[in-house]
Amino acid sequence: MKRILASILLITMMLASTAHMAQASEDTLDIEKTAIKTIENSQVLETYNKQVDLMRRNYADTEGQMAQLRALLPYFGSYDMVKSIILTPQVLENYLTQLNGNQVVITNAVRLSAYSSYIDLLKADYAVITQEDLMSSLYEDYKKIRLQSEQGMATETELKLAEIAYQQTRYNYLSAQNSKDSAAMTLNNMMGEGIAKKYSILQDYNIIPSAEIQSLEEYTKQALASRVEISTAQSNLELLKEQYRYGLAGIPTDYEFYKQQQEYEIDKAQNELELASINVQQNIAEVYTGLESSVKKMEAMRYLAEQAESNYQAAQIRHETSQITLVELNNAKIAKVQADINLKDAELDAWLMQITMDLACGAGFQPKLN
């Protein structure tokens, strides 16, 4: 009996521990979890995925029909039938490939949107934490100066300035809390969660911006080799050339007119390919400007944060030796906290711009919806 009771107790403890871990997991949010849930909940992606699935079924059906026609070639074979058997699947495959590419681009766009919203939440959360700590510290200092004022050791001006500093920080804290609540609601809505859902832990361990970036030429080279709009334009051009070759072999009735018409379409497709390449280069240049600016800003904010920390440490020493008042020390403390917030914001912005460039150098993140 004791063994049975011990086993029941052990199982109960394990179940309780598992439930606690599951609850902890639900209360924890990170940027990849945010992206996955947002992608799963995206109505735009759901609609587009249905279009892709339909096209895949059509392609499979057409392949089956072409297989049946191939079996009839020895009996009813003609050049037009041969051309249809070869080109029809190629046309559908070309279209399906384009749909698949755009599906990746739309997914990237949704992912980037989720990343951006999570970054907004992290910014607000960091501001809440730092402003709350500062508010508590300034309130303690305010009480200290109020006591000193009552004892005639501090002036009314010092008391008023201490109160203003506390109230201003309290306002900043409440404003940051409102921003956090708003960002959380936006994110919950994107993920399909309850709009009022709260998270006890917002992880950012994998959001670390690189201090160095590549050159514009390197990014451009990667994008030209990977972007969907370029591969789409190239695929269209190759298909037109293939259709043109088979059309000429069939000896069309009005040979010269057919030749002029198809060559015009090929030239047009060639121009579209070149235009796609130019547009990609322009896009990468625009993203690069933002990326370069964000990294420089991050470096500047890091320098200012270091300076603010140094100034605060110096102010502490000067206050301990009665060279400055508590109000002046608090001013240095407030400046340090604001510099820390500015640095955190700049780091998050730089990371987001680096991710944006990564997506721009891949399939892209600006879908062309039909």
Side-chain angles (χ1 to χ4, degrees):
M1 178 62 72
K2 289 182 178 179
R3 289 182 178 178
I4 294 174
L5 290 174
S7 298
I8 293 174
L9 179 61
L10 178 60
I11 292 172
T12 302
M13 291 175 63
M14 290 175 63
L15 289 174
S17 175
T18 302
H20 177 73
M21 291 174 63
Q23 182 63 38
S25 177
E26 284 296 310
D27 291 342
T28 300
L29 194 62
D30 63 66
I31 199 160
E32 289 306 324
K33 182 177 179 181
T34 296
I36 291 170
K37 286 195 171 185
T38 301
I39 289 170
E40 291 174 349
N41 188 57
S42 172
Q43 295 300 310
V44 173
L45 259 179
E46 182 180 354
T47 300
Y48 199 83
N49 290 343
K50 289 178 180 178
Q51 184 179 352
V52 174
D53 290 340
L54 177 61
M55 188 60 203
R56 286 172 180 166
R57 289 195 294 270
N58 290 340
Y59 178 70
D61 292 343
T62 302
E63 280 282 275
Q65 294 169 4
M66 293 302 104
Q68 294 176 354
L69 287 177
R70 278 193 290 272
L72 296 175
L73 278 176
Y75 309 101
F76 307 102
S78 67
Y79 181 77
D80 287 340
M81 183 180 289
V82 172
K83 185 171 71 172
S84 177
I85 290 173
I86 294 174
L87 292 180
T88 301
Q90 288 186 12
V91 171
L92 292 178
E93 184 178 7
N94 178 60
Y95 185 54
L96 180 58
T97 300
Q98 293 179 25
L99 286 177
N100 288 333
N102 209 36
Q103 187 180 42
V104 175
V105 176
I106 295 173
T107 302
N108 285 346
V110 174
R111 177 180 296 277
L112 188 59
S113 178
Y115 282 170
S116 180
S117 293
Y118 189 74
I119 291 297
D120 288 341
L121 180 57
L122 282 182
K123 287 180 179 180
D125 182 61
Y126 186 77
V128 167
I129 294 171
T130 52
Q131 293 289 359
E132 185 176 22
D133 290 342
L134 178 61
M135 180 178 64
S136 299
S137 175
L138 292 181
Y139 182 66
E140 292 301 317
D141 290 340
Y142 167 64
K143 291 194 298 184
K144 186 185 297 183
I145 290 182
R146 186 172 60 186
L147 180 60
Q148 291 175 347
S149 177
E150 292 171 355
Q151 296 173 349
M153 299 171 62
T155 66
E156 284 294 323
T157 299
E158 290 175 323
L159 177 61
K160 193 62 178 177
L161 289 173
E163 182 182 6
I164 291 173
Y166 162 68
Q167 292 294 348
Q168 180 62 51
T169 301
R170 181 173 178 273
Y171 171 81
N172 292 340
Y173 164 74
L174 293 175
S175 177
Q177 186 63 62
N178 288 335
S179 296
K180 180 181 177 181
D181 291 342
S182 177
M185 286 191 289
T186 299
L187 203 55
N188 282 330
N189 185 54
M190 292 174 65
M191 294 189 297
E193 299 285 358
I195 198 169
K197 185 173 182 179
K198 303 291 184 181
Y199 303 94
S200 59
I201 300 176
L202 299 174
Q203 296 179 341
D204 63 351
Y205 62 89
N206 55 346
I207 304 177
I208 303 173
S210 174
E212 297 181 358
I213 60 176
Q214 299 179 54
S215 68
L216 174 59
E217 290 73 19
E218 289 172 313
Y219 286 125
T220 302
K221 182 179 179 181
Q222 294 171 33
L224 290 175
S226 305
R227 288 285 282 266
V228 163
E229 54 262 61
I230 292 179
S231 62
T232 293
Q234 183 67 52
S235 179
N236 288 336
L237 176 60
E238 295 303 323
L239 179 61
L240 282 172
K241 289 180 178 179
E242 186 77 355
Q243 291 173 328
Y244 179 43
R245 284 193 290 269
Y246 276 93
L248 286 177
I251 310 177
T253 305
D254 192 337
Y255 184 87
E256 287 301 325
F257 175 75
Y258 173 80
K259 185 177 180 181
Q260 290 177 359
Q261 184 183 44
Q262 294 304 308
E263 287 177 351
Y264 169 78
E265 292 297 329
I266 290 174
D267 288 342
K268 181 180 176 183
Q270 181 66 52
N271 290 336
E272 289 175 353
L273 174 59
E274 293 172 1
L275 180 61
S277 176
I278 292 171
N279 288 339
V280 166
Q281 293 179 64
Q282 290 177 341
N283 176 240
I284 295 299
E286 291 172 1
V287 176
Y288 187 80
T289 298
L291 172 61
E292 193 175 37
S293 175
S294 69
V295 172
K296 288 181 178 179
K297 182 178 179 180
M298 179 178 67
E299 294 171 350
M301 291 302 104
R302 181 172 292 116
Y303 171 77
L304 292 176
E306 291 171 354
Q307 287 295 110
E309 172 67 29
S310 178
N311 292 340
Y312 176 59
Q313 291 178 359
Q316 284 181 308
I317 295 173
R318 295 181 66 192
H319 179 259
E320 290 170 359
T321 56
S322 302
Q323 297 181 55
I324 62 173
T325 65
L326 184 57
V327 171
E328 291 172 307
L329 174 62
N330 284 341
N331 289 338
K333 185 188 301 183
I334 294 170
K336 174 190 175 302
V337 167
Q338 188 57 56
D340 289 341
I341 292 175
N342 292 343
L343 173 58
K344 183 67 173 180
D345 287 354
E347 289 175 340
L348 293 173
D349 287 338
W351 181 88
L352 185 60
M353 281 304 305
Q354 289 172 359
I355 291 298
T356 301
M357 179 59 88
D358 288 344
L359 294 176
C361 289
F365 59 88
Q366 296 174 321
K368 181 181 179 182
L369 300 176
N370 297 322

